[in-house]
Amino acid sequence: MGLIVRHWHQSAAGWHGCLDGEAGRLKHHDGIAVCHHVGMSVRLLAFCLLFGASMRAQTVAPFEVEEATIAQVHDAMSERRLTCRELVDAYIRRINTYDKNGPAINAIVTINPDAIKEADEMDRRFAQSGLTGSLHCVPMIVKDNFETKGLQTSNGALVFAGYQPREDATQVARAKASGAIVLAKSNMAEWAFSPVETVSSILPGYTKNPYALDRVTAGSSGGTAAAIAASFGLVGFGSDTGDSIRGPSSHQSLAGIRSTMGLTSRAGVFPLNLRADIAGPIARTMEDAVKVFQVIVGEDPRDPVTAVAKGRSIPDYSKSLDRNGLKGAVIGVLHEAYERDSTDHEIVQIFMRALDDLRRAGATVVDPAKVEGLEVKRQTGPSLCMGFKYDLNHFLADRSGQVPVADLAAILKSGKFHPSTQKRLEDSEKGPENGPDSEACQADAAYREQFRESVAKTMERLKLDAFVYPTWSNPPRLIGDLNTPAGDNSQVFSPTTGFPAINVPMGYSRGGTLPVGITFYGRAWSDAQLIKLAYAYEQATLHRRPPASTPPLR
């Protein structure tokens, strides 16, 4: 049998060639389609294979992982331009070059030592049957409060150094089942306490904002956000009790989804306050965030709060990715969320331009859209509903014999935590361990219900599809600065009501250098509608751009 090649062309399947007029049959050699014909020499066969491989190498550009999307990765794999091994190698190379070296972003706590082996297995399975799931070979950056089987999960604290869970957090397990690879665990604000900065005792130093290395990432999911912004992975997981998906997404020009309470599971995520904790995706695009969101939603027996999702139809959220999604929408401006004496004038100007963009995209903007009935006061004083102590102690008790400490008291005794968190830990330990059935927590639940009713009634009265406001009222702070205004606008509305909120890039302040985000906030179970609005705004404005501190590697 022999082979000869007369002409070459590129197609989705690779490089092809065949002798004009020859009777033969196509066969692939390393992605090259060739014509076999009886009587051709082995030497000529070898020459043609080498020639074809050379032509392919000269013509097919290497896949660039910087700013890559899931769809682009899967297309490249289907076209045999990229393997899972090559993709994982490329991200590890970027981490090694930029995380502790060069700009020293300092976002990564540990790299999965089995990531390459898992990528090779993905390539083997792909060769047999194609994509293994919607997240096939998606290298993920996972916040270090998500339990990850076989990988250290520390919640940012030295006291949990070496703790390797026996099973994955539900969201991690669901992502893996859809083909994702946990590439690395990311730094976080220890215990998820700080919404402002990302510093912990498990990793020395601050995580830096890739857009300005002297600026904070926000918290507490700042490590995940910085890593995704710097293209250390395709997508990431963060958690959000008051701010920590949306704030870091705002500071790093990313998309972040905080779901309706009960739509997504928190099982296996170290708790801060289960009355408000949410876990979810952070990504460079809404499309990628939605692909992750799709696989993590739904009831989970491990998290009782998701019982409200039982029997509820889960939408195909990809149908919400509509570039014309703002046409006919009614959007209210939530001044109560962002207006204060310290609000930065430039942020307001950028937000006003965003409102004009919404109008140009076909939305009606109601300004102001005042929420009536917020005069109700949250109970304060010594009988507060103390979520952290109660929730953490029960989390640790459920893992008795696996975790190195039994409770908050043992954590304090160990001294293995960041000094900045000591007072809050001590105050929590001194306070009552009020559970959900306590009088204080029942009062808190009533307050939240009144707040929900006020928001829902306002939306109904004004016929609103969503509210919008700047995610932060001020630019990212300088690292170490705890005196100037922080500007976090995320602590009240979504965490108190349990209603969904999404951040997408809104532009840049300070001469176009520091990212600014906009929040879309809506009713319970309106996640699909919010995705539609946020995606349409993202596509109409295309504010996302990569940081200069972590350029492509050559």
Side-chain angles (χ1 to χ4, degrees):
M1 179 179 289
L3 170 151
I4 190 167
V5 177
R6 177 70 55 83
H7 65 81
W8 292 87
H9 65 276
Q10 188 179 23
S11 76
W15 285 93
H16 294 243
C18 190
L19 179 65
D20 289 341
E22 289 282 1
R25 58 190 177 86
L26 281 173
K27 187 173 181 181
H28 283 80
H29 289 275
D30 191 25
I32 303 171
V34 295
C35 279
H36 286 249
H37 192 275
V38 176
M40 299 297 178
S41 69
V42 173
R43 181 177 298 176
L44 186 56
L45 169 63
F47 167 78
C48 288
L49 286 175
L50 288 172
F51 173 75
S54 174
M55 290 287 291
R56 180 174 180 234
Q58 292 175 26
T59 310
V60 179
F63 184 83
E64 294 187 357
V65 299
E66 298 79 20
E67 298 295 296
T69 66
I70 295 173
Q72 289 168 348
V73 163
H74 287 174
D75 286 347
M77 289 178 174
S78 297
E79 295 166 5
R80 305 301 195 271
R81 294 187 290 112
L82 178 69
T83 66
C84 187
R85 171 70 174 267
E86 290 168 343
L87 181 67
V88 169
D89 274 340
Y91 282 127
I92 291 176
R93 184 174 171 229
R94 286 185 62 80
I95 292 171
N96 290 337
T97 303
Y98 291 135
D99 190 60
K100 301 299 184 287
N101 299 294
I105 302 301
N106 203 37
I108 302 300
V109 175
T110 185
I111 297 174
N112 179 4
D114 293 327
I116 295 295
K117 183 172 69 175
E118 293 172 15
D120 287 340
E121 173 62 15
M122 282 288 168
D123 284 332
R124 185 191 67 78
R125 294 173 63 188
F126 181 82
Q128 292 179 340
S129 56
L131 298 175
T132 59
S134 60
L135 301 183
H136 174 83
C137 188
V138 169
M140 295 194 71
I141 307 296
V142 176
K143 185 177 180 179
D144 205 25
N145 61 346
F146 283 71
E147 290 188 311
T148 312
K149 185 178 179 179
L151 290 178
Q152 175 181 273
T153 301
S154 73
N155 205 24
L158 271 173
V159 70
F160 292 108
Y163 168 53
Q164 293 190 2
R166 295 176 184 173
E167 60 182 328
D168 290 315
T170 295
Q171 291 196 15
V172 173
R174 289 178 176 178
K176 284 183 176 180
S178 295
I181 294 174
V182 175
L183 179 62
K185 301 298 290 291
S186 58
N187 195 28
M188 58 179 286
E190 188 169 293
W191 315 107
F193 279 172
S194 175
V196 178
E197 57 190 1
T198 305
V199 63
S200 69
S201 60
I202 200 70
L203 184 67
Y206 289 82
T207 297
K208 302 174 186 175
N209 190 319
Y211 288 90
L213 299 176
D214 60 348
R215 300 279 173 165
V216 298
T217 57
S220 60
S221 308
T224 294
I228 297 305
S231 290
F232 291 170
L234 261 180
V235 295
F237 275 137
S239 62
D240 185 318
T241 303
D243 162 82
S244 298
I245 287 174
R246 295 158 294 148
S249 295
S250 175
H251 275 20
Q252 265 92 194
S253 198
L254 300 169
I257 300 176
R258 177 187 163 99
S259 74
T260 296
M261 177 65 77
L263 179 57
T264 52
S265 173
R266 295 87 44 88
V269 180
F270 270 80
L272 174 56
N273 184 335
L274 287 174
R275 290 167 296 150
D277 291 348
I278 297 286
I282 295 174
R284 289 183 292 271
T285 67
M286 275 298 298
E287 181 179 346
D288 280 1
V290 167
K291 287 183 177 181
V292 177
F293 191 64
Q294 188 73 59
V295 306
I296 64 172
V297 297
E299 184 190 11
D300 174 21
R302 296 174 62 196
D303 184 358
V305 78
T306 65
V308 294
K310 185 175 182 178
R312 182 178 290 272
S313 177
I314 299 298
D316 178 354
Y317 292 104
S318 68
K319 292 181 179 178
S320 294
L321 301 177
D322 179 1
R323 292 173 182 268
N324 297 314
L326 282 164
K327 288 185 177 179
V330 182
I331 310 291
V333 179
L334 190 56
H335 287 261
E336 295 99 319
Y338 73 94
E339 285 188 343
R340 55 182 67 94
D341 291 342
S342 59
T343 297
D344 186 84
H345 179 65
E346 186 181 7
I347 302 296
V348 175
Q349 288 182 320
I350 293 170
F351 181 55
M352 292 300 107
R353 291 198 292 269
L355 297 181
D356 288 339
D357 290 331
L358 292 172
R359 295 183 183 101
R360 280 191 288 270
T364 297
V365 175
V366 178
D367 185 10
K370 182 175 176 56
V371 178
E372 306 290 349
L374 292 186
E375 295 77 15
V376 58
K377 299 296 184 183
R378 186 190 296 263
Q379 183 175 341
T380 60
S383 57
L384 276 172
C385 180
M386 302 296 289
F388 176 68
K389 179 180 178 179
Y390 179 90
D391 294 335
L392 181 62
N393 283 350
H394 280 73
F395 181 89
L396 297 177
D398 289 342
R399 289 150 181 81
S400 178
Q402 302 176 53
V403 289
V405 287
D407 53 23
L408 180 55
I411 290 169
L412 279 163
K413 186 176 179 180
S414 77
K416 294 180 179 179
F417 46 81
H418 197 274
S420 65
T421 69
Q422 181 169 349
K423 186 178 187 304
R424 185 162 175 182
L425 292 174
E426 290 173 343
D427 289 346
S428 296
E429 176 57 25
K430 291 174 185 175
E433 190 174 309
N434 287 327
D437 295 328
S438 67
E439 182 178 346
C441 288
Q442 290 295 316
D444 182 77
Y447 165 78
R448 291 171 183 272
E449 182 58 31
Q450 287 179 283
F451 203 108
R452 279 190 286 270
E453 289 180 4
S454 295
V455 172
K457 286 179 179 178
T458 298
M459 295 191 74
E460 179 62 29
R461 174 172 55 84
L462 299 176
K463 308 301 180 186
L464 300 181
D465 294 297
F467 289 103
V468 289
Y469 54 89
T471 307
W472 281 62
S473 286
N474 299 81
R477 277 175 167 175
L478 290 167
I479 288 174
D481 172 19
L482 298 179
N483 293 316
T484 58
D488 175 11
N489 296 326
S490 302
Q491 299 287 329
V492 177
F493 282 90
S494 184
T496 302
T497 60
F499 294 174
I502 297 174
N503 176 86
V504 287
M506 185 171 68
Y508 301 83
S509 68
R510 302 306 187 262
T513 59
L514 301 179
V516 181
I518 185 173
T519 289
F520 289 80
Y521 166 65
R523 299 175 178 83
W525 310 105
S526 68
D527 304 72
Q529 174 74 358
L530 283 191
I531 287 169
K532 184 178 181 180
L533 301 175
Y535 175 79
Y537 173 78
E538 174 200 56
Q539 293 300 303
T541 55
L542 297 175
H543 287 302
R544 165 76 195 172
R545 66 170 185 258
S549 68
T550 54
L553 298 177
R554 300 302 183 198

